[in-house]
Amino acid sequence: MFSVKPMKPTFRSYLPPVQTDVKKTIEPPIRKLEPKLLRGEIVVNEVNFVKKCMSAENSQDDLWGKLICTNFKVSFIPQEDSSKQKSTLSHLLLGEHDIPLTCLEQVVTVNDAKGKRKVLGSNQKLKFNPTELILYCKDLRIMRFCFQEAGPESAKKVCLAIAHYSHPADLQLLFGFEYRGQRYYESTGALFNGSTGQGGLQTPSFDRPSDWDREIKRTGASEWRVCSINENYAISPSLPEHVVVPVSLADQDLKQYSLFFTDQRIPIWCWSHKNGSALVRMTSINDPQQQRKIDQRIFTAITKSHPQYSDVIKSDLDKCLPSLQDVQSAFIKVRQICVVEPFEESEERWYSSLENSRWLECVRAFLKHSAEVVYHLDGKNVSVVLQEEEDRDLSCVVSSLVQLMLDPHYRSLVGFQALLQKEWVMAGHRFLDRCNHLKKNDKEEAPLFMLFLDCVWQMMNQYPAAFEFTETYLTVLSDSMWIPLFSTFLFNSPKQRAQHLTDFAKSKAIPHGEEQAVFFPPVWKWSQQFSPKDQTLFNNPLYVGKGAACVQNGEVKSFRRSKKFSSSTLRAPTSLRATPTSLWATPTSLWATPTSLRNGLRGAEDPLPRRSSLVSELKPDFSPVKDESPSERFFRDWFCRPADPQGLLLPLLMPSHVVLWKLFFLRWVPEACIPRGGPVTTFHKLSQLVDEIDVLQRQLRQTAAPPGPGAPPGPGAPPADQRRMYFAAFPPNAPPTTLDFLSSSFPFTPVGNLCRSGIHGTPITKFLNGARVWLSTETLDNDAA
């Protein structure tokens, strides 16, 4: 007999054996994926086993985790923490993978199997099970999530929840109201957010006469007074309760004149030059028959406020500048260029696409017109009235830029915040409509504030020593528009803010008189978003001013720096300034034939040009000096002098000078990021040098101080453990350390937090790697192969 070997089993069970003893069951530890919630924040829907796509080329860096929708944000919680970047601007309200609902531009669901794609709105139905969710954000991010392993019904529900909660039906449904109500009750009604400042340096809110009185005194506007006829918004619903008007105008006359202005907005003072000329804002007059009469009386009063009774010039911004629709169209086009997928497809026509968007033309037009207003105020010593139909959009941009060019106070951090509070928030810029927080009317949306920040960045880029704040500060400010917790960007007017807070207090049964306890704080209270160390990223190491900010223990101090560091080298290179008149000379002159009124009467001048004339390309004009107009001579003389960071600043306006603000527009594009390079490297080195100088100065003060343990530190000396710069200098004997991860988009872009293609493989990369001909992507692929 022979033995038969037993056959191996052909079926293998992959199921674990049934556990009869629960105590003996051993389970691997699983990370509990719980979101970090603010007061009043609740989870409305969630889905597990979601993949966040980090690259369009491969899935090696993709993250697995839970996708959550709350009444405040969309939050993705990864199963494993894969963050590699060390020096990240840590946000106290939002995590690395969080998106505020108000920041969502579009919610797009995709079903790969059926080839369907749907843009979701509020209260819409979804007839297919989504396999992907793509979130297009207003800060130019693109987030992509895949649901292949998630439950189809759960994926559908979370997509519908995100779409629904990102389209609130009413302003009070925004999360900020719930957040403030919860904080009120948890703090027993204490006014914990009443301060509008940062420690020792406060940002005036201009909601009280004393703030306006200080501004009148600071600018020397002795013939102007604070007027309170709009108290309780009795005259105009869009003006603040207190405004500044000429001394010679009585309250009774202003009440009578208000009936003829749009929205009953009486003309308001913005700023006064030391020579006496004033900058004023005014709406259009509804009754054409009354226009000449009202103009004459208003302009006569402005003339009387001038020490030399100088003329008054009126500039019609609606005719001289791009319209809101032009600005919105240009922004949409430049945004499409910067978020196109994949990026390399547009690389070969990048500059032509950028030019065709006309965004930089809009930026140049506003800078140019603002500089022309500066010429009249500073060069001709005449007052200027900015007229716009509603005086709530274009005039906000121009008046702010004019004051930024003329007054160095507004180029400090606190001064800049005061400027925005005065010319945007209190003047009634319609942030709620222009930001389209409720997503109700796309026709009302217009990025006027974003345009202004871009104009400010152009000035900072040309004069880096004249501004106390950095482009990081400007970018953080733009991001803050989409966080519905601050009063600054949430309402259309001071009255709307007051009314909604009163109504909300009633709905929450908050006792009468304590409505201010739920008052939305301004965005200037930066400690709500960032730590003191992160706030030092707002400090410009190159700033040459009377007092630069220093964050110490959460408070802003100041330190002194001499102006002797200022030099003409801080301006553009001499080669760019060889023919300063060419920067301004145009066939229509500098003021573009403004409307001139002497004591309110129109002069015999050419009609105003059409809007397109100021948006056209500036062409050099090499006219002989003898043919110079007074305005051309004014600009030529100024450009021939060394730049004074604490004096008048004028922008360079040739196309080569007005460039794309890369940190804002390209910070999420990996192809545009430079690892360990770019502007952040310069900022890093400058910060270390400034910090080293501060340390040495402190040591010198300590050496010069009288002996004894009770010797006080020198004036303005920071504590030994405090640093003014984010990047501190290394001690001489310190061991070498590895540098933090830096890129040209620092400190915003986390590594891999993008739904984009990789850095390698784009046409420009292949070209730099030795490709012979740069004709098309296909040609470069063949060359690289």
Side-chain angles (χ1 to χ4, degrees):
M1 294 181 63
F2 60 91
S3 63
V4 180
K5 294 183 179 180
M7 297 181 60
K8 293 183 179 180
T10 58
F11 173 79
R12 180 180 177 184
S13 175
Y14 290 89
L15 295 176
V18 179
Q19 298 290 339
T20 56
D21 188 355
V22 179
K23 294 181 180 180
K24 295 181 180 180
T25 302
I26 300 177
E27 296 182 358
I30 299 177
R31 181 187 174 194
K32 196 172 183 180
L33 305 182
E34 294 293 338
K36 295 181 180 179
L37 302 178
L38 302 177
R39 293 182 178 91
E41 186 179 5
I42 58 174
V43 176
V44 296
N45 222 303
E46 62 184 35
V47 57
N48 285 295
F49 307 110
V50 177
K51 181 174 69 171
K52 182 178 181 182
C53 302
M54 312 301 278
S55 173
E57 294 178 340
N58 57 71
S59 58
Q60 294 180 356
D61 297 325
D62 291 347
L63 300 178
W64 288 90
K66 180 189 289 187
L67 184 64
I68 296 174
C69 175
T70 75
N71 56 342
F72 169 48
K73 64 179 182 282
V74 177
S75 182
F76 177 77
I77 308 174
Q79 182 68 50
E80 297 179 0
D81 185 11
S82 62
S83 178
K84 302 176 183 178
Q85 184 170 343
K86 298 179 181 178
S87 294
T88 306
L89 192 66
S90 57
H91 206 285
L92 302 181
L93 301 174
L94 296 166
E96 179 180 337
H97 303 279
D98 293 348
I99 310 166
L101 293 170
T102 46
C103 188
L104 294 179
E105 181 74 25
Q106 274 191 348
V107 179
V108 180
T109 53
V110 181
N111 185 287
D112 293 333
K114 297 183 179 181
K116 292 185 177 181
R117 182 183 179 101
K118 183 177 179 61
V119 179
L120 289 180
S122 179
N123 296 321
Q124 287 188 348
K125 295 182 179 180
L126 190 58
K127 296 182 179 180
F128 58 84
N129 292 325
T131 58
E132 289 185 16
L133 171 68
I134 306 176
L135 302 179
Y136 294 89
C137 308
K138 292 183 178 180
D139 61 2
L140 277 64
R141 274 185 294 177
I142 303 174
M143 298 293 186
R144 180 166 161 251
F145 303 94
C146 295
F147 301 124
Q148 282 87 351
E149 304 298 328
E153 285 300 319
S154 299
K156 179 187 292 187
K157 288 180 180 179
V158 79
C159 291
L160 292 173
I162 292 172
H164 175 73
Y165 280 87
S166 62
H167 292 74
D170 184 74
L171 178 60
Q172 291 192 21
L173 292 177
L174 290 175
F175 172 70
F177 285 90
E178 187 66 28
Y179 179 64
R180 292 301 157 197
Q182 288 290 331
R183 296 199 67 173
Y184 166 80
Y185 283 108
E186 291 185 13
S187 60
T188 63
L191 184 59
F192 47 84
N193 282 322
S195 174
T196 60
Q198 302 181 50
L201 298 179
Q202 291 189 349
T203 299
S205 58
F206 292 100
D207 59 354
R208 62 199 71 181
S210 57
D211 290 340
W212 291 105
D213 283 330
R214 279 191 293 269
E215 189 68 5
I216 290 174
K217 184 178 180 181
R218 189 188 69 82
T219 58
S222 58
E223 296 300 315
W224 296 81
R225 67 179 179 89
V226 181
C227 172
S228 299
I229 63 171
N230 198 41
E231 218 163 11
N232 296 321
Y233 309 101
I235 301 297
S236 173
S238 61
L239 278 179
E241 293 185 282
H242 312 285
V243 295
V244 177
V245 298
V247 170
S248 60
L249 279 179
D251 286 359
Q252 191 61 36
D253 293 334
L254 288 170
K255 290 181 181 179
Q256 181 182 355
Y257 299 155
S258 67
L259 301 175
F260 301 101
F261 287 99
T262 302
D263 204 26
Q264 290 78 53
R265 288 175 63 98
I266 59 176
I268 56 175
W269 171 88
C270 299
W271 182 81
S272 283
H273 197 285
K274 60 184 178 182
N275 62 21
S277 58
L279 181 65
V280 181
R281 293 169 56 168
M282 187 175 76
T283 66
S284 60
I285 297 176
N286 297 323
D287 190 348
Q289 296 179 353
Q290 295 288 334
Q291 181 172 0
R292 182 181 178 88
K293 177 182 177 181
I294 301 298
D295 271 353
Q296 183 172 0
R297 293 184 178 180
I298 296 295
F299 283 73
T300 299
I302 297 175
T303 298
K304 289 181 179 179
S305 69
H306 196 288
Q308 287 82 39
Y309 284 75
S310 184
D311 294 344
V312 178
I313 298 292
K314 181 169 70 174
S315 172
D316 192 335
L317 302 183
D318 290 317
K319 296 180 179 179
C320 298
L321 289 170
S323 66
L324 298 184
Q325 293 75 20
D326 294 336
V327 174
Q328 173 70 351
S329 174
F331 184 74
I332 290 176
K333 291 178 181 177
V334 74
R335 183 175 61 188
Q336 289 174 343
I337 297 172
C338 297
V339 302
V340 65
E341 301 176 84
F343 186 75
E344 61 263 23
E345 289 185 358
S346 66
E347 208 168 67
E348 297 177 23
R349 56 180 185 273
W350 167 258
Y351 288 106
S352 60
S353 300
L354 180 62
E355 182 181 2
N356 293 335
S357 73
R358 304 182 74 86
W359 173 255
L360 294 182
E361 284 192 9
C362 291
V363 172
R364 191 180 302 115
F366 278 87
L367 286 171
K368 180 178 185 292
H369 194 79
S370 301
E372 292 165 354
V373 175
V374 167
Y375 160 68
H376 282 268
L377 291 167
D378 186 82
K380 293 187 67 177
N381 191 18
V382 299
S383 297
V384 178
V385 174
L386 304 176
Q387 187 174 49
E388 185 187 7
E389 183 178 359
E390 293 186 352
D391 183 36
R392 301 173 71 179
D393 291 304
L394 306 180
S395 55
C396 295
V397 182
V398 175
S399 63
S400 301
L401 289 176
V402 169
Q403 295 173 67
L404 201 70
M405 296 176 189
L406 283 167
D407 195 337
H409 168 69
Y410 295 126
R411 300 194 286 266
S412 67
L413 182 62
V414 174
F416 184 73
Q417 294 177 168
L419 177 67
L420 300 185
Q421 187 72 22
K422 175 168 65 84
E423 297 299 324
W424 292 80
V425 180
M426 300 309 294
H429 179 68
R430 297 194 295 170
F431 278 108
L432 180 64
D433 294 339
R434 299 300 179 234
C435 296
N436 201 11
H437 287 315
L438 302 182
K439 299 180 178 63
K440 285 187 175 181
N441 192 347
D442 294 342
K443 294 182 179 179
E444 294 290 330
E445 186 173 353
L448 268 300
F449 189 69
M450 186 61 239
L451 175 73
F452 167 70
L453 293 183
D454 200 330
C455 292
V456 175
W457 178 83
Q458 302 292 337
M459 296 283 294
M460 292 173 55
N461 190 44
Q462 295 175 14
Y463 305 101
F467 294 83
E468 184 180 17
F469 46 89
T470 63
E471 63 174 339
T472 298
Y473 168 82
L474 293 182
T475 313
V476 165
L477 192 58
S478 70
D479 288 343
S480 300
M481 284 194 293
W482 316 120
I483 303 177
L485 302 180
F486 313 110
S487 63
T488 309
F489 307 117
L490 203 56
F491 302 98
N492 283 334
S493 66
K495 180 182 180 180
Q496 187 189 53
R497 179 181 67 243
Q499 185 63 51
H500 274 281
L501 288 173
T502 301
D503 295 343
F504 180 73
K506 292 179 180 178
S507 67
K508 291 293 183 180
I510 295 176
H512 180 69
E514 296 187 17
E515 295 92 345
Q516 289 297 311
V518 293
F519 181 76
F520 279 66
V523 73
W524 322 129
K525 193 175 178 65
W526 293 109
S527 59
Q528 291 189 110
Q529 297 190 66
F530 305 106
S531 67
K533 180 182 178 182
D534 287 334
Q535 289 179 57
T536 60
L537 284 170
F538 301 166
N539 299 338
N540 177 15
L542 290 175
Y543 179 58
V544 177
K546 295 180 180 179
C550 175
V551 179
Q552 299 173 7
N553 295 327
E555 296 186 357
V556 178
K557 306 294 183 181
S558 62
F559 79 103
R560 298 288 178 180
R561 181 180 292 186
S562 173
K563 289 176 62 177
K564 65 183 180 180
F565 297 105
S566 172
S567 68
S568 59
T569 58
L570 297 176
R571 195 194 297 272
T574 307
S575 59
L576 297 179
R577 299 184 290 114
T579 56
T581 55
S582 66
L583 304 178
W584 292 96
T586 58
T588 57
S589 175
L590 288 193
W591 185 236
T593 60
T595 304
S596 176
L597 293 95
R598 180 183 296 274
N599 294 334
L601 301 179
R602 186 185 301 275
E605 297 194 15
D606 296 333
L608 284 164
R610 288 179 294 179
R611 181 180 291 112
S612 59
S613 64
L614 279 181
V615 188
S616 61
E617 288 287 341
L618 298 177
K619 298 180 180 179
D621 184 3
F622 300 98
S623 304
V625 176
K626 64 180 181 180
D627 295 332
E628 278 185 330
S629 66
S631 57
E632 292 170 341
R633 190 179 305 112
F634 171 81
F635 290 111
R636 179 179 59 82
D637 291 344
W638 187 88
F639 278 103
C640 288
R641 297 193 304 266
D644 180 9
Q646 285 297 303
L648 168 65
L649 290 184
L650 293 174
L652 296 159
L653 295 178
M654 292 295 286
S656 58
H657 301 139
V658 180
V659 296
L660 184 71
W661 182 11
K662 295 180 181 179
L663 180 60
F664 176 81
F665 287 102
L666 300 179
R667 57 182 164 147
W668 309 114
V669 180
E671 296 89 340
C673 296
I674 308 172
R676 300 189 184 278
V680 67
T681 303
T682 304
F683 179 81
H684 174 240
K685 297 298 181 184
L686 287 173
S687 297
Q688 288 185 329
L689 287 174
V690 170
D691 183 75
E692 185 176 356
I693 291 172
D694 288 346
V695 171
L696 292 175
Q697 288 178 339
R698 181 169 61 246
Q699 293 176 351
L700 287 174
R701 285 192 294 266
Q702 293 175 350
T703 303
D721 59 343
Q722 294 294 329
R723 297 295 180 89
R724 192 177 66 83
M725 290 287 115
Y726 186 91
F727 295 105
F730 297 109
N733 299 326
T737 58
T738 304
L739 289 178
D740 295 331
F741 184 90
L742 304 176
S743 72
S744 56
S745 57
F746 173 87
F748 303 97
T749 306
V751 175
N753 192 22
L754 304 162
C755 167
R756 303 299 297 266
S757 58
I759 297 177
H760 304 289
T762 64
I764 187 64
T765 306
K766 296 176 182 178
F767 177 74
L768 294 175
N769 286 338
R772 293 187 298 274
V773 182
W774 192 12
L775 296 177
S776 66
T777 305
E778 182 179 359
T779 304
L780 293 175
D781 286 335
N782 295 334
D783 288 342

